[in-house]
């Protein structure tokens, strides 16, 4: 997608010079052309950082223009995301875009109604949308509200967030540095008489005296006990605009804080990230040795996980189940493993036949062969289990990155059924034929990925790149991909011999266009 540049997009703020990146410039231009009613409703002291993608874009959009706005976001290739349950709010939508030229994510936080309050509950819906949108001016390319209106809402937000008993007890009663800067920025520009008139007309339940007391509390010019009293008085005044009752709000806040603390302290996890509203995707990267599969998967994970819920799986080496582990240990005891399997617990890519164990007795050869067949069947089941887990994540909106992937109709030796070929060359019986059918059934149940990328690399280059494995082994695996026909698959074949950054740039654009 080619995004237009906006002339004169260089802007200055207290944080220094910032330039409007192309995707933000294109969004502003489209909103103006389509006459969408909107404004950047908060944090306008740092508006230039929003233009550069360093901050989120917090847009209030007129409800009647919602359809036009959503069409614009679709044209600009923004992806709509579902917030985690504790962040999900009515009338609030999240969009993510990626500016490939600036190599920067842009998060657009879209409000069709003004919902404010403590971060854990956002309990109040203020009836100020029309006022915001009726009195805008242009600044740094954005439409922004008058400072009096923005100051009113900021003061209410700060008191609801920090002037409470629980905030005092948890030592979270002081605004962040950027919030203090925003408050000072707006107080310098706001007309207090006009602000008082706006309060009387648009928030009649909030007395002017109480609001100016809230100003003192927000600025830290009151004692802790007085601040709590002011906070309680503000909650009573805003009761007509509350989304839930007082005790219901307190209970929800407690539950969410306990849940967040459990995730962080007990499970060692951070906050959950949003998922795509269009549904998730399984993104598979296939290639021979030396093609850079692991490097590509790592780079894609680093890129996507910055904003979304992303997991990685290795379909070539799935997590070992209990049966697989038992079979491995049994094979080791029976002496049916190669040195690599005995030392590292890894697997080779071909089953042993009568000719590959010439020094073993007939009974021992049969044991080794059967144990290997059982191992391959168990690995097939592990791959199917891993696929099912990945599919569940994708069906719930998450993204799954797969290193290697079994493909129907493409017989890659490292990711294809092994038993059938072995019994055709080494003899079969009813048991081995049953196991061959069982292995094939596990592979057939692995459905194609949503996005399939094949890294195709000349075998000679692969041998030069992959020096930690035997050259014959590397060449064999590389030739399998090089000679494979992916015409019946949804694969996008890419030349893996190109420089890493060029390959990753194309790959990011491909993935973003298909998820």
């Amino acid at each position: 997608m080619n995004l237009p540049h906006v002339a004169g997009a260089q802007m200055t703020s207290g944080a220094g010079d910032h330039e409007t990146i192309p995707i933000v410039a294109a969004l502003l231009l489209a909103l103006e052309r389509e006459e969408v009613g909107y404004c950047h409703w908060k944090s306008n002291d740092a508006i230039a950082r929003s233009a550069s993608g360093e901050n989120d874009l917090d847009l209030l959009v007129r409800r009647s223009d919602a359809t036009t706005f959503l069409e614009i976001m679709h044209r600009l290739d923004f992806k709509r995301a579902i917030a985690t349950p504790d962040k999900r709010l009515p009338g609030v939508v999240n969009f993510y875009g990626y500016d490939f030229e600036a190599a920067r994510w842009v998060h657009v936080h879209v409000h069709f109604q003004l919902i404010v309050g403590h971060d854990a509950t956002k309990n109040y819906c203020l009836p100020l949308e029309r006022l915001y949108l009726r009195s805008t001016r242009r600044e740094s390319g954005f439409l922004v509200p008058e400072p009096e209106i923005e100051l009113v809402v900021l003061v209410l937000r700060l008191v609801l967030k920090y002037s409470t008993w629980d905030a005092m007890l948890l030592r979270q009663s002081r605004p962040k540095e950027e919030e203090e800067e925003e408050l000072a920025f707006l107080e310098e520009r706001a007309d207090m008489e006009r602000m008082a008139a706006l309060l009387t007309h648009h928030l009649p339940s909030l007395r002017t005296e109480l609001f100016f007391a809230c100003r003192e509390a927000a600025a830290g010019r009151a004692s802790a006990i007085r601040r709590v009293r002011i906070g309680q008085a503000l909650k009573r005044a805003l009761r007509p605009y509350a989304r839930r009752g007082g005790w219901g709000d307190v209970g929800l806040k407690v539950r969410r804080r306990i849940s967040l603390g459990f995730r962080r302290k007990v499970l060692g996890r951070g906050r959950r990230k949003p998922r795509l509203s269009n549904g998730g995707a399984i993104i598979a990267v296939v290639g021979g040795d030396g093609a850079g599969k692991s490097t590509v998967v790592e780079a894609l994970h680093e890129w996507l996980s910055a904003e979304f819920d992303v997991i990685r799986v290795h379909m070539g080496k799935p997590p070992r189940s209990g049966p697989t582990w038992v079979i491995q240990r049994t094979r080791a005891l029976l002496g049916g493993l190669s040195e690599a399997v005995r030392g590292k617990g890894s697997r080779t890519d071909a089953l042993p036949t009568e000719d590959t164990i010439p020094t073993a007795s007939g009974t021992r050869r049969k044991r080794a062969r059967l144990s290997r067949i059982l191992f391959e069947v168990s690995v097939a089941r592990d791959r199917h289990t891993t696929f099912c887990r990945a599919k569940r994540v994708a069906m719930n909106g998450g993204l799954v990155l797969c290193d290697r992937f079994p493909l129907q109709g493409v017989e890659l030796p490292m990711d294809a059924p092994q038993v059938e070929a072995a019994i055709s060359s080494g003899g079969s019986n009813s048991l081995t034929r049953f196991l061959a059918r069982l292995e094939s059934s596990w592979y057939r149940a692995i459905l194609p990925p949503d996005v399939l990328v094949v890294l195709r690399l000349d075998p000679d280059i692969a041998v030069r790149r992959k020096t930690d494995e035997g050259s014959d082994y590397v060449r064999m695996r590389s030739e399998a991909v090089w000679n494979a026909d992916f015409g019946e698959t949804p694969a996008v074949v890419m030349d893996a011999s190109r420089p890493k950054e060029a390959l990753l740039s194309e790959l990011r654009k491909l993935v973003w266009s298909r998820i």
Side-chain angles (χ1 to χ4, degrees):
M1 176 180 58
N2 294 321
L3 299 174
H5 287 275
V6 174
Q10 189 73 21
M11 300 180 290
T12 303
S13 72
D17 293 339
H18 298 262
E19 185 175 346
T20 305
I21 60 177
I23 195 170
V24 175
L27 174 59
L28 296 178
L29 185 61
L31 293 174
E32 182 177 358
R33 283 178 175 172
E34 307 266 352
E35 298 182 348
V36 173
Y38 85 96
C39 69
H40 192 277
W41 71 276
K42 68 174 184 176
S43 304
N44 288 313
D45 61 317
I47 188 69
R49 296 187 65 198
S50 297
S52 67
E54 294 181 34
N55 279 351
D56 296 347
L57 273 65
D58 292 289
L59 303 184
L60 174 66
V61 177
R62 187 165 53 209
R63 285 194 189 189
S64 59
D65 292 334
T67 300
T68 303
F69 179 84
L70 297 176
E71 289 173 351
I72 289 172
M73 300 303 279
H74 177 71
R75 288 202 308 267
L76 296 178
D77 210 16
F78 280 87
K79 310 293 184 184
R80 187 169 176 171
I82 302 173
T84 55
D86 60 317
K87 295 293 184 182
R88 209 168 295 162
L89 299 171
V92 181
V93 184
N94 291 279
F95 285 92
Y96 288 85
Y98 189 75
D99 193 303
F100 291 95
E101 183 176 330
R104 180 163 289 171
W105 287 104
V106 177
H107 178 194
V108 184
H109 205 58
V110 186
H111 290 247
F112 296 104
Q113 55 184 358
L114 279 177
I115 296 183
V116 301
H118 190 277
D119 286 347
T121 60
K122 300 288 186 184
N123 194 36
Y124 299 93
C125 184
L126 302 180
L128 300 176
E129 295 91 352
R130 292 183 181 179
L131 177 62
Y132 256 90
L133 296 172
R134 199 168 58 224
S135 54
T136 58
R137 68 189 191 283
R138 192 168 296 280
E139 184 174 320
S140 301
F142 289 86
L143 291 178
V144 299
E146 295 298 329
E148 293 83 6
I149 305 168
E150 196 175 352
L151 179 58
V152 167
V153 175
L154 176 62
V155 168
L156 302 185
R157 287 168 50 214
L158 293 180
V159 173
L160 292 170
K161 187 174 179 178
Y162 298 109
S163 294
T164 61
W165 280 113
D166 55 300
M168 298 291 176
L169 293 173
L170 295 173
R171 298 183 180 181
Q172 298 173 349
S173 60
R174 183 175 180 81
K176 299 174 184 176
E177 183 179 349
E178 56 267 26
E179 292 171 328
E180 293 177 340
E181 292 174 355
E182 184 180 1
L183 182 63
F185 172 85
L186 292 173
E187 287 196 328
E188 287 178 3
R189 290 158 177 78
D191 183 317
M192 296 304 160
E193 291 185 4
R194 182 168 184 269
M195 187 172 62
L198 290 173
L199 278 171
T200 301
H201 188 267
H202 294 281
L203 288 176
S205 66
L206 179 60
R207 294 177 292 106
T208 304
E209 297 81 5
L210 175 57
F211 175 78
F212 283 101
C214 289
R215 275 186 63 208
E216 293 181 13
R221 295 193 292 267
S223 67
I225 293 178
R226 176 167 167 74
R227 287 174 59 196
V228 171
R229 288 175 177 171
I230 292 171
Q232 293 300 317
L234 176 61
K235 288 180 180 180
R236 289 193 294 270
L238 295 180
R239 192 173 296 161
Y241 316 116
R243 299 193 300 125
R244 60 183 71 86
W247 285 111
D249 186 56
V250 170
L252 181 61
K253 186 189 297 185
V254 170
R255 289 198 304 273
R256 286 181 171 173
R257 278 185 161 164
I258 291 174
S259 175
L260 180 60
F262 182 80
R263 278 183 66 84
R264 287 180 173 175
K265 304 297 184 182
V266 179
L267 301 180
R269 301 174 185 172
R271 283 190 178 274
R272 289 175 292 179
K273 294 181 180 179
R275 296 186 169 195
L276 295 169
S277 63
N278 289 342
I282 295 179
I283 304 163
V285 181
V286 173
D289 287 6
K293 298 185 303 300
S294 298
T295 300
V296 163
V297 170
E298 175 66 30
L300 288 177
H301 182 267
E302 182 180 354
W303 172 55
L304 291 169
S305 63
E307 300 293 346
F308 300 109
D309 184 6
V310 185
I311 66 169
R312 283 179 293 179
V313 298
H314 199 306
M315 289 293 288
K317 301 175 183 177
R320 294 294 192 243
S321 63
T324 305
W325 184 88
V326 170
I327 293 170
Q328 279 185 310
R329 302 283 75 79
T330 302
R331 293 183 67 214
L333 291 174
L334 293 174
L337 290 175
S338 65
E339 182 179 349
V341 175
R342 285 197 303 270
K344 303 178 182 178
S346 63
R347 63 183 289 269
T348 59
D349 293 293
L351 285 166
T353 64
E354 302 289 334
D355 297 331
T356 59
I357 321 176
T359 59
S361 67
T363 301
R364 186 162 181 164
R365 285 200 302 271
K366 290 179 181 179
R367 286 178 179 174
R369 185 163 168 271
L370 180 59
S371 66
R372 184 66 192 193
I373 288 174
L374 291 171
F375 176 72
E376 291 295 345
V377 174
S378 190
V379 167
R381 180 181 178 277
D382 292 346
R383 284 177 170 167
H384 177 261
T385 300
T386 301
F387 166 76
C388 289
R389 291 171 180 164
K391 192 65 176 177
R392 283 195 291 271
V393 171
M395 287 189 294
N396 284 289
L399 297 174
V400 183
L401 294 168
C402 296
D403 189 333
R404 292 169 48 181
F405 202 90
L407 300 171
Q408 296 294 329
V410 182
E411 296 298 324
L412 301 179
M414 50 281 201
D415 298 313
Q418 304 286 324
V419 178
E420 185 67 41
I423 64 175
S424 63
S425 63
S428 65
N429 54 43
S430 58
L431 175 60
T432 56
R433 288 193 296 272
F434 166 76
L435 292 174
R437 291 194 300 272
L438 183 60
E439 182 197 34
S440 295
S441 71
W442 291 124
Y443 279 102
R444 283 196 306 272
I446 298 176
L447 304 177
D450 301 288
V451 182
L452 175 59
V453 177
V454 176
L455 301 179
R456 196 164 178 265
L457 184 66
D458 187 298
D460 292 334
I461 300 176
V463 170
R464 292 197 296 271
R465 282 186 180 181
K466 190 76 171 179
T467 57
D468 57 341
E469 298 277 3
S471 60
D472 292 340
Y473 178 74
V474 172
R475 184 178 297 278
M476 180 271 294
R477 290 161 66 97
S478 182
E479 285 179 347
V481 177
W482 182 262
N483 297 323
D485 180 8
F486 295 94
E488 299 300 320
T489 71
V492 176
V493 181
M494 293 187 169
D495 180 6
S497 65
R498 289 180 298 163
K500 175 183 172 182
E501 286 308 315
L503 178 63
L504 289 176
S505 176
E506 182 182 347
L507 193 54
R508 291 188 189 103
K509 291 178 182 178
L510 169 70
V511 169
W512 190 244
S513 69
R514 298 200 175 193
I515 60 175

